[in-house]
Amino acid sequence: SHLCGYSICEYGYSYKHVVLEVLVFFFFFQAEDGIRDAQESRGLGDVYKRQTQRPAARVTLVSNQETAVATAVSSAGLAFSLTIAAHQARILECNLSATDLEQEDEDEQAAGAEHTEQMVALAAELEAERVREEGHTRLRAALKRGDTCGTDDMGRSFASLAELSLWQDANRAALYAANAVWWDAGGYCGSTDEAAMMGDEESAADIADSQRFLTALLARMPRLQPSSGLDAGAGVGRVTKHLLLNHCRTVHLLEASEVWSRQSRRYLGKKRGKVCTFTRSRVEAFVPRQRSVDLVWVQWVLQYLTDADAVTTLRNLKAGLTQHGILVLKENRPYLPGANQRMFQCDTPSGENARFDITRPDAHHRVLFQRAELDVLEVERGVETNFWVLH
């Protein structure tokens, strides 16, 4: 037999060889003993003598021969076992070497893949830095020209309102879908319905500020005696409950979110609910009955609309104003430390806040008003918000 390409015969023995030698050995001694018996047999006494002496010597001889053969066989078996063990060790060594080579190859491949990923990431980072620097250059040029421009929370730069509109229009569905999820999940959350609408616990201060402004405004406009009001983008009805119902006999609440539209009925209660009507619709899709509303209140709504939809909303709401009716817009302005008062700032669904909204500067708002063919009757600039009176 063969093992790992080597024959046992190469080590001097085979099983057939050993057996053959044993047979020849026995045959030779048996023949020789027979010849002696034929020559030395002279009488019966000699025969008995030979029978009493020679068998012991022959047994001893055979026994020694068997021992030699057994020893030879054992030695051959031992040599064979050692050969097998040596080859098994060699095979194991080869297997281990192959495993090590495979592992080294895998490690090299993994290191190569990691290096490739690092290079791709570095290239992307360099490209992003180049785009940011290019954007900053374009923004500086836009500001120098006096154009309205801005950035978003993902590092994009918009050197004009036309660039912003192109981006908004291309992503409109995704922007509004993210906002719908965000509002239905609780908006700004907080411990109260008011906090969910505003993002803080300052609802009472905000209402007091609006009450002050509206009371003074109505005093300056004696011909305006508001009977009907419209809370556009009403949310839970916070402005209706604490402000508009103090000045109007009836209020219509317009809200896109089904969650907050239902909640507004509970929030207002039965008594106030009797003088209110409710419509669930996006503001840009709502068209009020012409000349049916004396006072339209729009607070923190346009910031969640694209420029195109903001213009559509303002134009439609204008059509619903009575002869002396007014539209009051209360919106944020760029007020954070370091904010450029001439630039807009946009949050996107991919950013930290996971929603779309935009803080517009005065010049940006005025462009929207002009496109909607609205006149600015008054403006009051606050610390964080502006009041706009439009007709």
Side-chain angles (χ1 to χ4, degrees):
S1 62
H2 290 267
L3 179 64
C4 302
Y6 291 91
S7 172
I8 302 173
C9 295
E10 295 180 16
Y11 291 88
Y13 283 97
S14 71
Y15 290 122
K16 294 179 179 179
H17 189 188
V18 171
V19 173
L20 180 59
E21 288 185 354
V22 171
L23 293 176
V24 170
F25 188 81
F26 273 102
F27 176 79
F28 174 77
F29 277 99
Q30 288 290 338
E32 182 183 6
D33 195 42
I35 292 172
R36 288 196 193 97
D37 289 344
Q39 291 177 348
E40 296 180 6
S41 181
R42 297 290 187 266
L44 187 60
D46 290 336
V47 172
Y48 288 143
K49 185 186 298 183
R50 289 196 302 271
Q51 289 177 346
T52 59
Q53 294 177 352
R54 289 185 178 181
R58 188 164 55 247
V59 169
T60 301
L61 179 61
V62 171
S63 176
N64 291 337
Q65 291 170 349
E66 290 176 349
T67 301
V69 171
T71 301
V73 171
S74 177
S75 299
L78 177 60
F80 178 68
S81 298
L82 291 175
T83 302
I84 292 176
H87 284 290
Q88 288 177 338
R90 180 58 182 165
I91 292 171
L92 178 60
E93 180 181 353
C94 292
N95 289 338
L96 291 176
S97 298
T99 302
D100 292 341
L101 290 175
E102 291 177 359
Q103 184 61 46
E104 289 177 3
D105 186 56
E106 291 178 0
D107 292 342
E108 290 178 359
Q109 292 179 357
E114 182 179 358
H115 178 70
T116 301
E117 291 178 0
Q118 291 175 350
M119 294 301 294
V120 170
L122 178 60
E125 183 178 346
L126 291 175
E127 176 62 16
E129 181 61 29
R130 184 193 67 78
V131 171
R132 282 194 295 269
E133 183 58 33
E134 180 182 303
H136 293 160
T137 301
R138 295 171 60 247
L139 289 177
R140 286 191 291 268
L143 291 172
K144 188 175 181 179
R145 292 192 305 267
D147 294 341
T148 301
C149 56
T151 61
D152 69 11
D153 57 357
M154 299 305 293
R156 282 181 286 259
S157 298
F158 306 94
S160 67
L161 294 182
E163 287 186 16
L164 175 66
S165 293
L166 285 175
W167 178 82
Q168 289 178 338
D169 294 344
N171 296 278
R172 179 178 182 272
L175 299 179
Y176 288 170
N179 282 12
V181 171
W182 188 78
W183 280 114
D184 287 348
Y188 291 97
C189 298
S191 58
T192 63
D193 288 333
E194 291 87 352
M197 297 293 101
M198 297 182 58
D200 55 39
E201 302 293 340
E202 300 297 324
S203 178
D206 171 71
I207 291 295
D209 184 44
S210 297
Q211 182 66 54
R212 171 199 59 78
F213 176 80
L214 184 55
T215 299
L217 176 66
L218 294 178
R220 293 192 299 271
M221 305 179 73
R223 287 189 296 180
L224 176 58
Q225 301 293 323
S227 173
S228 59
L230 172 61
D231 189 354
V236 76
R238 183 183 68 91
V239 172
T240 293
K241 180 176 181 178
H242 299 293
L243 178 66
L244 297 183
L245 285 177
N246 294 334
H247 300 275
C248 304
R249 289 197 297 269
T250 63
V251 177
H252 188 77
L253 286 81
L254 174 64
E255 172 55 37
S257 170
E258 182 178 359
V259 172
W260 291 110
S261 184
R262 286 200 311 266
Q263 180 63 13
S264 65
R265 291 166 169 81
R266 293 189 289 268
Y267 179 79
L268 292 172
K270 292 183 178 180
K271 184 176 180 179
R272 295 185 185 88
K274 289 180 179 180
V275 295
C276 294
T277 54
F278 304 85
T279 296
R280 190 171 72 84
S281 170
R282 291 193 56 84
V283 290
E284 73 273 10
F286 176 74
V287 181
R289 185 166 50 87
Q290 286 193 350
R291 298 185 178 184
S292 60
V293 184
D294 297 315
L295 175 61
V296 176
W297 192 275
V298 184
Q299 179 169 344
W300 295 326
V301 174
L302 296 191
Q303 69 187 73
Y304 301 108
L305 300 179
T306 65
D307 281 8
D309 286 337
V311 170
T312 300
T313 298
L314 293 172
R315 185 181 290 123
N316 289 342
L317 294 178
K318 175 190 175 182
L321 292 176
T322 58
Q323 182 180 359
H324 301 292
I326 58 172
L327 188 157
V328 176
L329 176 69
K330 187 175 184 179
E331 283 287 323
N332 289 337
R333 66 175 189 81
Y335 70 90
L336 294 175
N340 191 315
Q341 300 295 312
R342 296 165 55 193
M343 294 176 61
F344 57 79
Q345 174 59 45
C346 187
D347 288 342
T348 65
S350 300
E352 179 181 358
N353 294 321
R355 66 171 188 274
F356 164 71
D357 71 71
I358 180 169
T359 301
R360 298 179 174 96
D362 291 357
H364 195 164
H365 277 115
R366 287 185 180 275
V367 170
L368 302 183
F369 302 154
Q370 183 180 11
R371 292 177 182 174
E373 300 179 342
L374 280 165
D375 296 325
V376 179
L377 303 181
E378 293 186 22
V379 58
E380 178 182 298
R381 294 177 175 82
V383 176
E384 298 182 9
T385 59
N386 288 344
F387 287 102
W388 302 86
V389 182
L390 309 170
H391 181 77

